[in-house]
Amino acid sequence: MKQLYIYIRFKFYYVSLKMKTLFLFTCLLLLFEVGESWVWGGSSWYGTTTTSICQNQKLTLHCGHGRVIKIRHANYGRTNYFTCPRGNLHTDDCESSDTKEIVKKRCNGRRKCTLTATNSIFGNPCHGTTKYLEVTFKCIHDDEKRSLKNVK
């Protein structure tokens, strides 16, 4: 009986050690990703980060040392009912055509930029509907910024 107890206890510690190792590995991967670019609440796929904020909120895009922001896509409006689900949700077919150019002018080629999702900046593409700003960006090497358009 004592041998069974020792075996079970050993197995528990072995499994516990494996779980701790997996947790540490996951944390290191996340830390590596954060070194590349970060936003609160964003998701990353192949070095491109997508994030969104609700109307009247602020968003900060940030790239690590030696990297700058390159905007891939941006929309202020509403294209689904899941993002920012509170407020007036009259439509999910609402896009501001100028959003990408406005965000590019404010952020492209910079290491960090802060955006505010408001009608005064992006216009009001769908009156009476609560909107959100969705931005997809990539952090590129600083020496690649010559290829960016609209860099200030």
Side-chain angles (χ1 to χ4, degrees), residues 94-118:
C94 170
E95 296 186 35
S96 174
S97 59
D98 299 331
T99 305
K100 185 176 178 181
E101 290 307 312
I102 292 169
V103 174
K104 283 170 91 176
K105 285 179 184 175
R106 290 175 180 240
C107 299
N108 264 1
R110 297 182 182 183
R111 191 167 164 250
K112 177 181 176 181
C113 78
T114 301
L115 302 164
T116 306
T118 62

Side-chain angles (χ1 to χ4, degrees), residues 23-50:
F23 177 74
L24 181 61
F25 180 72
T26 303
C27 288
L28 288 174
L29 281 177
L30 289 173
L31 187 61
F32 175 76
E33 181 64 31
V34 167
E36 189 76 17
S37 66
W38 60 265
V39 291
W40 295 110
S43 63
S44 184
W45 191 252
Y46 290 110
T48 302
T49 303
T50 299

Side-chain angles (χ1 to χ4, degrees), residues 43-63:
S43 63
S44 184
W45 191 252
Y46 290 110
T48 302
T49 303
T50 299
T51 190
S52 57
I53 54 166
C54 301
Q55 190 171 349
N56 299 319
Q57 291 183 338
K58 289 188 178 203
L59 168 69
T60 299
L61 308 179
H62 182 273
C63 292

Side-chain angles (χ1 to χ4, degrees), residues 61-150:
L61 308 179
H62 182 273
C63 292
H65 180 71
R67 295 181 174 270
V68 294
I69 298 166
K70 180 179 182 180
I71 300 298
R72 298 281 191 178
H73 173 76
N75 180 54
Y76 178 70
R78 176 164 293 282
T79 58
N80 66 59
Y81 291 111
F82 306 106
T83 306
C84 301
R86 297 179 188 216
N88 298 319
L89 308 179
H90 299 296
T91 183
D92 69 343
D93 186 21
C94 170
E95 296 186 35
S96 174
S97 59
D98 299 331
T99 305
K100 185 176 178 181
E101 290 307 312
I102 292 169
V103 174
K104 283 170 91 176
K105 285 179 184 175
R106 290 175 180 240
C107 299
N108 264 1
R110 297 182 182 183
R111 191 167 164 250
K112 177 181 176 181
C113 78
T114 301
L115 302 164
T116 306
T118 62
N119 291 341
S120 61
I121 295 173
F122 298 105
N124 193 352
C126 43
H127 295 276
T129 296
T130 303
K131 293 161 275 301
Y132 57 86
L133 174 64
E134 183 176 79
V135 178
T136 302
F137 73 101
K138 183 173 186 165
C139 291
I140 61 171
H141 289 284
D142 196 24
D143 58 349
E144 294 178 61
K145 87 177 183 182
R146 281 182 243 105
S147 67
L148 297 176
K149 294 179 180 177
N150 301 321

